[in-house]
Amino acid sequence: MRKEPVPDESRHVQMLCQPPDQDDIFFNEYPRSRCVRKPPDKGFKGDIRHQNENHQLLDREFQSFKYRRIWLFGPAIDWAVWAWWDYGSARERVFLCTIFLLLLFTLINFWLFERLNNEVYKLDNFKPDFRGTHFARAAIARFYYSFIYTAAVFFKVSVKFEKLKYTSPPLLAWFFFNYLVGFFCIFFIINAILKF
């Protein structure tokens, strides 16, 4: 759940609204009552943790404000950035979201991975075999093979274009969507690891 910044004087935080020509101003159209909050330069005896919390909360609020101004899809983009990593302040969410997306794509590919493997991109040494077994075992095996195929595509660094088959454009588009989402996740995972 999102936290709102608390304008509490007991936290020794003051509001500074600077003119637009200075670097520290957030945004020309940002409400003047929500400008940059900083601790006073002299005589500050408050808890440093509280000022950092308040500054992070204001940064999140401003980023939300910017994303919501994007025409048509602003609220959806704002929600996605908040859910993905809370505007950069909760980088561990990137790992959880990656796992969630991998499982979501695995469930969707549960019915498609055989066609993807045969008609779009064949993985080396991938020979799913679950026919002739009991229904429950077949479903578990199918989920397992679906997970293996999805993870192999999701975390693939490069695609060998000579192995691609172009017979089914919708499946090809779905394959590349899997690949690009996975590539996006890898980029953010590396970014999160480097900034920890």
Side-chain angles (χ1 to χ4, degrees):
M1 186 168 175
R2 295 188 200 200
K3 292 182 184 176
E4 292 297 323
V6 182
D8 185 2
E9 291 304 321
S10 67
R11 291 187 175 188
H12 304 281
V13 176
Q14 70 184 22
M15 300 286 289
L16 295 176
C17 288
Q18 299 172 347
D21 59 334
Q22 294 195 15
D23 294 336
D24 212 7
I25 191 71
F26 270 157
F27 199 63
N28 289 339
E29 296 179 32
Y30 194 57
R32 290 188 64 75
S33 63
R34 307 298 287 166
C35 293
V36 183
R37 292 182 182 196
K38 288 191 191 174
D41 292 334
K42 296 180 181 175
F44 179 70
K45 299 189 179 183
D47 184 355
I48 195 80
R49 184 173 51 86
H50 289 308
Q51 65 172 312
N52 289 341
E53 265 179 33
N54 222 355
H55 188 72
Q56 282 182 351
L57 290 172
L58 273 168
D59 181 54
R60 289 184 210 139
E61 181 187 271
F62 172 65
Q63 288 188 54
S64 175
F65 171 78
K66 281 196 307 188
Y67 287 121
R68 287 182 175 277
R69 291 184 47 84
I70 298 171
W71 183 75
L72 194 60
F73 297 111
I77 293 170
D78 177 50
W79 181 87
V81 173
W82 170 77
W84 181 250
W85 66 349
D86 197 10
Y87 307 103
S89 63
R91 290 188 174 88
E92 65 278 358
R93 281 194 197 174
V94 171
F95 298 98
L96 297 174
C97 289
T98 299
I99 292 168
F100 170 76
L101 287 171
L102 179 61
L103 291 175
L104 178 67
F105 279 89
T106 298
L107 289 174
I108 296 170
N109 290 340
F110 184 82
W111 304 108
L112 296 174
F113 80 90
E114 284 181 291
R115 288 188 61 200
L116 285 167
N117 193 45
N118 295 329
E119 298 175 30
V120 178
Y121 193 85
K122 193 161 191 70
L123 293 178
D124 297 329
N125 302 320
F126 181 71
K127 294 170 184 167
D129 183 24
F130 48 83
R131 300 189 191 283
T133 59
H134 188 267
F135 176 75
R137 285 185 196 163
I140 292 169
R142 189 175 190 81
F143 182 82
Y144 169 75
Y145 288 121
S146 173
F147 179 79
I148 296 295
Y149 187 86
T150 305
V153 171
F154 210 70
F155 297 117
K156 199 169 223 12
V157 178
S158 65
V159 173
K160 295 178 182 173
F161 285 94
E162 64 271 8
K163 291 177 67 175
L164 280 173
K165 298 174 187 169
Y166 301 95
T167 54
S168 177
L171 283 175
L172 185 66
W174 176 247
F175 171 83
F176 273 110
F177 184 68
N178 277 251
Y179 172 72
L180 290 174
V181 170
F183 194 78
F184 175 81
C185 290
I186 290 171
F187 172 78
F188 274 95
I189 286 172
I190 291 170
N191 185 16
I193 290 170
L194 291 176
K195 293 197 175 177
F196 267 127

